[in-house]
Amino acid sequence: MVPNDDKISSFQLGLLIFLTPIGVGIFTLPAVLAKDVENNGWFVLILGGLINILFLFFISEVGKKYAELGLVETLRTLFGKFIGTLMALPIFLFYFLFTAIEIRMFGETTKMYLLFNTPLEFIMIPIFIVAYLLVRMGIEQIARFFEAIFYLTVLTFVFLFLLVVPKSDYSNLLPVLRVEPLKILKGISDSLFSYAGFEILFFLFPFIRKPEKAFKSSMIGMIFIIFIYIFIVIHCYARFGAEYTKTLLYPTLSLVKASDVPGAFLEGIEGLLFSLWIILIFTTIVTYVFGYMIVGGDLIKHREKKHIAIMIMPIIYIISLIPDSIADIVDLSDKMVLYLGYYTLFFIPIVMYIASLIKGVRKA
C-alpha cells in the first residue's frame, strides 16, 4: 500500500502531465489550426509537441538539482531573494488568471450544450468548490483521482473515435505542407499552447518520490497527448475538410455528433463525449488551483497553503465573470498567452536551466 506521505510515483506524475493540458482546448483545437495552416494541423502539432518535450527536459534538469526546494525557492536560490521573488510573481498570476478563464469557459460551454436554463453562477461555483475540496487533501489524493479516471478516459476515447474512422476521407488531408512558412510558425505557436499545463512539473518536484525519473514519465505523458491531438485533428479534417472545420465552434463535438453508432444501440453519443470533457476540464482546474496555491504559499512563506486557495477563490470567481461573452474570454486568453504564457512556459525554463548550468560550473 502506498504510504500517505503526500508524494507521488513516476506513473502518477505521467498521469498529471497527460490529463492536465486536455481541457477546453480539445474542442476548439482543429478549428484554430485549420485557420493557421489549413489541413496541416497534424504537422505543427508534432513540431509543437517535440518543442515542449525539450522544455520538459529543461525543467527536469533544473528540478532534479533542486528537488526539495520547489519552484519559488529555486528561483530565489538561482537569482537571489528579491529577483527570484519578482520572477515568481508572473507565474502565480498565470495560474491565478487561467483558473478563472478555465472555470468561465467550462460554465459557458456547459450552459450552451447541457444546462440551457441554469444560471451561469450555479454551474461555475460547484465545480470550483469540488476542485478546492480535492486540492486541500494534497497532491497524493489528486494523483489517485487522476489514476482512477485515467483508464475510463482512455477507454472512452478509444470508443468514441473508433466511430469516426469508417467515414473519414483522408484525401482531404492533401496537399501536404503546401502552406507559407510564416503560417507554419503561427500554427506552431498555437500548437505549443495547446499543451499548456506541462509546466506544472516545476512545482511538483518536492512531491515526487523519484525526481531522477521525472523526465521519462513526463515525456510519456506528453507523447500520449500528442497522439490524441493528432488523431482528433486528422479526423476532423478527413470528415469535414479544413475549410469547413474553420467555421465550426467546436469541431471535435461536431465530429462525434456526425458519427453513427453500429446497430444504433446508443443515441446522443455526444453526451458521452461531454461527460468525458467535464472530467478532463475538472482535472485542469484542479491542477491550476493547486499551482497557484503552492506558488502563492511559497511566495509569502505560508505553511498552510490550503488557506491560500480558499482566500483567493472569491477573487477568481469575480474575475471569471468579467468577460461578457465567449469571444471576450478567447480574446482575454490570447492576451494572457502573449504576456504570461510565453514567460511561464518557455522563458522561465530556459533562464533557469542556463542559470543552473552556470551555478554548477562555478561550484565545480
Side-chain angles (χ1 to χ4, degrees), residues 219-239:
M219 181 178 65
I220 293 173
M222 181 66 74
I223 290 172
F224 267 91
I225 302 173
I226 294 172
F227 175 78
I228 288 176
Y229 279 174
I230 290 174
F231 190 90
I232 291 172
V233 167
I234 284 178
H235 285 88
C236 280
Y237 297 166
R239 175 65 64 89

Side-chain angles (χ1 to χ4, degrees), residues 70-353:
L71 174 59
V72 176
E73 288 305 317
T74 301
L75 284 169
R76 288 169 174 165
T77 301
L78 292 174
F79 302 102
K81 186 174 181 180
F82 178 73
I83 296 177
T85 301
L86 288 180
M87 293 176 72
L89 283 173
I91 301 174
F92 169 76
L93 195 60
F94 173 82
Y95 287 113
F96 173 79
L97 293 176
F98 265 93
T99 301
I101 291 173
E102 291 285 321
I103 290 174
R104 178 62 184 276
M105 284 296 292
F106 166 78
E108 291 285 355
T109 307
T110 304
K111 184 177 177 65
M112 183 184 304
Y113 286 96
L114 290 179
L115 306 175
F116 314 106
N117 299 318
T118 305
L120 191 63
E121 294 81 0
F122 288 93
I123 300 174
M124 295 165 53
I125 292 175
I127 195 170
F128 203 3
I129 293 175
V130 174
Y132 167 72
L133 292 175
L134 179 57
V135 165
R136 71 187 300 274
M137 297 176 69
I139 188 63
E140 185 187 7
Q141 303 305 321
I142 295 173
R144 288 183 179 182
F145 172 76
F146 279 46
E147 196 170 1
I149 67 172
F150 169 68
Y151 301 103
L152 173 65
T153 302
V154 172
L155 288 175
T156 307
F157 266 123
V158 171
F159 172 72
L160 287 175
F161 293 104
L162 280 180
L163 298 178
V164 309
V165 173
K167 291 188 177 182
S168 297
D169 182 5
Y170 298 103
S171 64
N172 288 331
L173 300 175
L174 301 174
V176 177
L177 299 182
R178 191 176 295 176
V179 63
E180 298 175 9
L182 290 178
K183 289 185 176 181
I184 290 180
L185 291 177
K186 178 66 168 62
I188 292 174
S189 176
D190 286 335
S191 72
L192 287 173
F193 286 99
S194 66
Y195 299 103
F198 72 87
E199 77 289 344
I200 64 169
L201 180 61
F202 251 140
F203 61 78
L204 287 178
F205 268 97
F207 306 99
I208 302 173
R209 288 200 179 92
K210 298 179 179 179
E212 67 278 2
K213 295 184 178 181
F215 175 65
K216 180 181 178 180
S217 302
S218 303
M219 181 178 65
I220 293 173
M222 181 66 74
I223 290 172
F224 267 91
I225 302 173
I226 294 172
F227 175 78
I228 288 176
Y229 279 174
I230 290 174
F231 190 90
I232 291 172
V233 167
I234 284 178
H235 285 88
C236 280
Y237 297 166
R239 175 65 64 89
F240 303 124
E243 289 300 320
Y244 184 65
T245 302
K246 295 178 187 178
T247 66
L248 298 173
L249 179 61
Y250 294 130
T252 306
L253 186 59
S254 299
L255 177 66
V256 175
K257 291 175 70 174
S259 303
D260 297 324
V261 179
F265 68 91
L266 184 64
E267 295 183 2
I269 189 67
E270 67 273 11
L272 185 60
L273 178 62
F274 240 105
S275 301
L276 174 63
W277 176 79
I278 289 174
I279 295 174
L280 294 176
I281 192 66
F282 179 72
T283 61
T284 303
I285 293 171
V286 164
T287 310
Y288 277 18
V289 171
F290 186 78
Y292 81 68
M293 181 184 77
I294 295 298
V295 176
D298 287 344
L299 279 171
I300 63 175
K301 295 185 177 180
H302 188 65
R303 289 186 178 181
E304 291 294 330
K305 294 181 173 58
K306 60 186 178 182
H307 295 164
I308 303 296
I310 192 65
M311 286 188 297
I312 296 178
M313 279 178 67
I315 304 174
I316 291 179
Y317 172 70
I318 293 171
I319 291 175
S320 69
L321 294 176
I322 292 176
D324 294 326
S325 63
I326 291 183
D328 292 335
I329 301 170
V330 173
D331 183 60
L332 176 62
S333 178
D334 291 341
K335 290 178 180 177
M336 294 299 301
V337 162
L338 182 63
Y339 295 107
L340 292 177
Y342 279 105
Y343 176 85
T344 303
L345 273 65
F346 307 116
F347 176 76
I348 284 294
I350 290 177
V351 170
M352 291 182 71
Y353 179 68

